[in-house]
Amino acid sequence: MAAKFEAENLILATWLMVHRADALLKISEGKLFGEYKLNSERYAVLVTIQYLGGSAKPSEVARWLQRSPNSISMLADRMVKAGLIKRTRDRIDRRVVRLTISDRGKDALKPATQAGWDFIQEILSPLSYEDRRILINLLKMINYKTLEYLNPGADIERMLKDEAKSHNNLMERLVEYLEPPILRAKPQGGEKGKSIR
């Protein structure tokens, strides 16, 4: 009986820590991006548009951010009013609206991205290279089970392969966007020169 209670207590403690870490990271990102007149949502939209080549349909942004098209449309309205993005009509199909980053958005995005990268390095600095790899694998397991829950009967392996491909493309674009030395990990222990990507 005591062993069962301990196991259930550990499950609950794990679940609470995952939620607590997520909440604290969101609060920290809000504070960090606030210094650039952004919030986490606005920053995510800007990064997504940048990743998608500097122009994207709201539905593409919604799919990338796993948000409803309606919520992205409302967020885009506020970002247009703030001067961070522009809505333009597609040259080929005038019915299609595309979101592009304004000069003001670009001026905020680059330093916010740099600050975000510095933040990521600071927060993950207590973890060794091996600890990071273990954490990634653990989070992948949680993601897998969550995707199974949300998409019963779907080909989860295929979904994860597509996500991994998109992730790799995003990392390549971030490397291009930031100065190359920034994305090199500081040597830790016996893992000299290894990147934390």
Side-chain angles (χ1 to χ4, degrees):
M1 185 68 140
K4 183 179 180 198
F5 175 77
E6 187 177 319
E8 288 173 353
N9 194 29
L10 187 57
I11 289 170
L12 182 58
T14 303
W15 191 250
L16 291 173
M17 287 306 296
V18 168
H19 277 278
R20 180 177 281 175
D22 179 55
L24 288 172
L25 288 171
K26 285 179 181 170
I27 292 167
S28 298
E29 285 178 347
K31 178 181 175 184
L32 174 79
F33 295 134
E35 294 176 22
Y36 303 95
K37 310 251 186 308
L38 298 172
N39 60 29
S40 296
E41 289 181 321
R42 289 179 176 190
Y43 177 78
V45 169
L46 292 174
V47 166
T48 300
I49 294 170
Q50 178 74 23
Y51 166 74
L52 294 172
S55 175
K57 293 187 279 187
S59 60
E60 293 171 326
V61 174
R63 187 171 41 254
W64 243 91
L65 296 178
Q66 298 178 337
R67 301 274 305 268
S68 74
N70 187 46
S71 70
I72 293 300
S73 180
M74 291 189 313
L75 180 55
D77 288 344
R78 292 191 299 270
M79 292 178 73
V80 168
K81 285 179 186 172
L84 296 169
I85 61 174
K86 297 182 274 186
R87 279 196 175 98
T88 56
R89 295 278 173 191
D90 189 88
R91 291 181 182 164
I92 298 168
D93 185 349
R94 301 282 301 151
R95 296 171 295 174
V96 175
V97 174
R98 300 191 74 75
L99 304 175
T100 57
I101 303 173
S102 68
D103 289 340
R104 178 185 241 172
K106 289 176 186 173
D107 289 344
L109 180 60
K110 190 151 188 166
T113 300
Q114 176 64 60
W117 177 245
D118 293 342
F119 170 74
I120 290 167
Q121 287 186 310
E122 180 181 339
I123 296 302
L124 295 179
S125 66
L127 301 178
S128 70
Y129 179 82
E130 189 57 32
D131 288 341
R132 293 173 194 172
R133 297 204 47 92
I134 290 168
L135 180 59
I136 287 169
N137 288 330
L138 294 171
L139 292 172
K140 281 181 180 179
M141 284 188 259
I142 292 171
N143 286 343
Y144 187 94
K145 293 303 286 181
T146 305
L147 285 170
E148 273 186 334
Y149 175 80
L150 292 172
N151 304 284
D155 184 354
I156 305 299
E157 295 297 330
R158 181 75 187 141
M159 291 172 72
L160 291 173
K161 283 180 185 175
D162 291 345
E163 184 180 301
K165 183 178 178 185
S166 295
H167 176 266
N168 289 339
N169 290 340
L170 175 61
M171 292 306 294
E172 288 172 15
R173 296 237 181 182
L174 282 174
V175 169
E176 292 169 8
Y177 191 66
L178 292 171
E179 301 297 320
I182 292 168
L183 291 177
R184 288 194 197 110
K186 296 174 186 169
Q188 292 187 2
E191 301 295 330
K192 246 183 181 173
K194 283 199 178 180
S195 173
I196 62 170
R197 290 193 285 168

